[in-house]
Amino acid sequence: MVIRHAEMADLPAMMDMFARARAFMASSGNPNQWVDGYPSAEVAMRDIEARNAYVCAGADGSLLATFCFIVGDDPTYAVIEQGRWLNSRPYATIHRLASSGIEAGMALECLRWAASHGLDLRADTHADNHIMQHILLKFGFISCGIIYTHNGTPRLAFHYVAD
């Protein structure tokens, strides 16, 4: 498997993965996290143009997962309630993680790749997204409190401290 920057040619596969993730979340008790077509093609294109979007490609070239990896401060993480971040060191954020469903364990592979950059990691997810919460905690993230997204909705915030 290879993790590489996403290209515009990857956009249709990325959108399929986002649609699959929305359906999976809804069927597993989390129908309110990615609503109204989020993440949209426009959001994905901005991520690709900013070189923050990544894809995981199998040996045959098929796309297995996608995610956004952003190094630097995330404005939505500036305020955290009902807790605090574990430290104020530089960090990278993981957003918009989705899988094709072809191969199991892709979320952990994406997290391993992100952690290999040696920075602390931060992530957030909806309170109803118990599957992502489990994955983050299994990887070693610590639940830190609540942040609010760009549209004001609350998310559980997680922090992974690099060694």
Side-chain angles (χ1 to χ4, degrees):
M1 180 186 67
V2 172
I3 296 179
R4 62 169 173 78
H5 283 283
E7 302 167 357
M8 286 300 175
D10 300 322
L11 186 61
M14 292 169 64
M15 296 311 296
D16 287 346
M17 286 187 263
F18 293 147
R20 183 185 182 285
R22 278 190 295 276
F24 178 77
M25 285 190 285
S27 71
S28 60
N30 181 23
N32 300 309
Q33 185 167 352
W34 284 0
V35 295
D36 300 327
Y38 181 87
S40 67
E42 291 77 21
V43 167
M45 285 188 290
R46 280 195 305 269
D47 289 342
I48 293 168
E49 289 168 353
R51 301 195 44 84
N52 293 327
Y54 290 82
V55 292
C56 306
D60 64 356
S62 62
L63 297 187
L64 305 172
T66 185
F67 63 99
C68 193
F69 178 76
I70 304 170
V71 175
D73 292 345
D74 184 320
T76 60
Y77 290 1
V79 175
I80 186 167
E81 295 179 353
Q82 299 178 31
R84 63 178 184 82
W85 296 112
L86 300 176
N87 61 49
S88 59
R89 296 183 347 193
Y91 63 92
T93 306
I94 300 164
H95 288 298
R96 296 180 277 289
L97 175 59
S99 166
S100 66
I102 295 171
E103 194 169 314
M106 293 311 303
L108 288 173
E109 288 298 320
C110 295
L111 294 175
R112 278 188 202 96
W113 179 89
S116 75
H117 290 79
L119 291 170
D120 281 17
L121 302 174
R122 293 183 186 182
D124 64 85
T125 194
H126 195 280
D128 292 336
N129 195 340
H130 300 290
I131 294 169
M132 183 54 73
Q133 292 171 46
H134 173 77
I135 290 167
L136 292 170
L137 293 171
K138 179 179 178 178
F139 190 79
F141 280 76
I142 304 295
S143 179
C144 290
I146 297 173
I147 59 96
Y148 293 87
T149 65
H150 66 282
N151 66 6
T153 58
R155 295 290 185 268
L156 302 178
F158 294 84
H159 191 160
Y160 173 85
V161 177
D163 293 332

